[in-house]
Amino acid sequence: MQSVYADTLHWRCEASSGPHSGSGNHCSKPVPSATAAHVACEPGFVLSDMASMVAREAIRRCAGRDANTPDHVVVCATSLEHDLALSCACRLYSELGVAGVPFAIGQLQGVSFFLALHVVSDMMANDHGIGSALIVGAERWLPPFSRLAGSITVLGDGAAAVVIGRHAEPGWLVLAVSVRTRGVPCARSDIFVDETVIIEVIGQTCTQAALSPAGIDWIVPPRIDAQLARRITAHVGLSAAQMWYPEEETGYLCAADAPAQLDALLQEIVPSGGQRILLWSVGLQGQAACAILEYRGN
């Protein structure tokens, strides 16, 4: 571990003992004007603490509809545990008593959740013994890692979890999921968002679900940049009035962003049968993903 993470351990030691070790933002540059002026900063809990809390809350909310213990857990994270030898996925499997093999998806930022959703959907389609699965996204950015993602966004701390159940009604049915990652190394080394790929993936997902933009009731973009969200919404033929983008600032929650955004929307609406949500997100090296959910009532 010391060989692999030698630089990180060295930088973390310096950051912890430096004059700004207590700073929640730990940014060395001014925050770009296009990004959130305030970001969510967790002062105490480590990444796996946050993941454990939201996992237990998600399971509690589903009590009576699905098994209390999910058959599988997929952990999504881009940031590192403070204790580099600790596995968040292994901790959750141990605490929740899950029988399967722990695994995690990382380094895709917001796209991680969609890839986990795709994997879980495929697993449930091919193994009827799987009754439910839990997807957990958690991020906490500690020194020496900056919260600034180039000039695109600022990274926030947060965690969110969803339970995927088989034939769980009332609830949201996963109609379609599309994920696009780069098959070959990109010549660019900087941080960027590929808007062309985002538009293509949203179109692909609508086609997969046999829907036109007119069939979408809400569109949930990532919390990266409101202007970017409006441009993408217009390009794919959706109305700005359909876009869910809360005014309060949290920063981009990476792997936790999409489920956190979805939860915030569901706290505000009372859905009826047949209504649909389109979620999309991006990775910061050109990745893109989209999912469409449809509400099924009793």
Side-chain angles (χ1 to χ4, degrees), residues 163-178:
V163 174
I164 310 297
R166 184 182 297 277
H167 309 306
E169 294 185 7
W172 292 91
L173 176 71
V174 180
L175 287 185
V177 184
S178 299

Side-chain angles (χ1 to χ4, degrees), residues 7-236:
D7 286 341
T8 299
L9 292 168
H10 175 70
W11 294 332
R12 177 168 291 169
C13 182
E14 287 188 346
S16 298
S17 60
H20 303 292
S21 59
S23 171
N25 290 317
H26 53 79
C27 294
S28 59
K29 303 176 183 177
V31 176
S33 59
T35 63
H38 303 283
V39 296
C41 299
E42 170 52 51
F45 295 112
V46 298
L47 186 146
S48 57
D49 290 337
M50 298 163 64
S52 179
M53 286 187 287
V54 295
R56 292 178 185 278
E57 175 62 16
I59 293 171
R60 185 194 66 79
R61 291 189 188 183
C62 291
R65 291 194 297 170
D66 296 290
N68 288 333
T69 301
D71 297 301
H72 284 281
V73 177
V74 183
V75 173
C76 303
T78 308
S79 54
L80 297 176
E81 284 278 3
H82 185 70
D83 178 356
L84 297 177
L86 174 65
S87 165
C88 179
C90 289
R91 174 179 169 177
L92 289 186
Y93 266 73
S94 175
E95 289 185 354
L96 300 176
V98 180
V101 177
F103 66 97
I105 297 172
Q107 306 312 312
L108 294 177
Q109 296 89 43
V111 172
S112 301
F113 171 78
F114 294 82
L115 182 56
L117 186 61
H118 199 297
V119 169
V120 167
S121 298
D122 285 348
M123 290 170 63
M124 298 183 80
N126 290 284
D127 185 350
H128 293 283
I130 301 175
S132 64
L134 178 71
I135 301 175
V136 183
E139 305 282 10
R140 189 188 180 206
W141 300 95
L142 294 168
F145 302 105
S146 172
R147 291 187 181 277
L148 291 181
S151 61
I152 296 175
T153 191
V154 182
L155 306 176
D157 299 338
V162 299
V163 174
I164 310 297
R166 184 182 297 277
H167 309 306
E169 294 185 7
W172 292 91
L173 176 71
V174 180
L175 287 185
V177 184
S178 299
V179 176
R180 185 84 61 87
T181 59
R182 293 188 171 273
V184 296
C186 178
R188 299 182 61 170
S189 60
D190 57 335
I191 296 171
F192 68 101
V193 170
D194 194 327
E195 296 188 28
T196 300
V197 172
I198 299 168
I199 294 166
E200 290 176 356
V201 169
I202 292 175
Q204 174 187 339
T205 312
C206 288
T207 300
Q208 184 181 341
L211 290 172
S212 68
I216 302 299
D217 296 282
W218 297 280
I219 181 168
V220 181
R223 294 291 294 273
I224 289 183
D225 181 355
Q227 294 180 1
L228 169 68
R230 284 191 287 269
R231 285 199 304 273
I232 297 299
T233 298
H235 271 297
V236 299

Side-chain angles (χ1 to χ4, degrees), residues 244-297:
W244 169 257
Y245 203 95
E247 293 182 1
E248 66 272 14
E249 298 170 330
T250 62
Y252 178 44
L253 301 182
C254 290
D257 192 78
Q261 282 281 82
L262 177 61
D263 181 69
L265 171 62
L266 297 182
Q267 299 302 316
E268 297 291 330
I269 65 173
V270 179
S272 57
Q275 289 189 308
R276 304 181 184 99
I277 298 173
L278 185 150
L279 301 99
W280 63 268
S281 192
V282 297
L284 300 178
Q285 286 80 40
Q287 307 97 328
C290 180
I292 297 176
L293 313 178
E294 181 177 274
Y295 187 74
R296 300 289 175 90

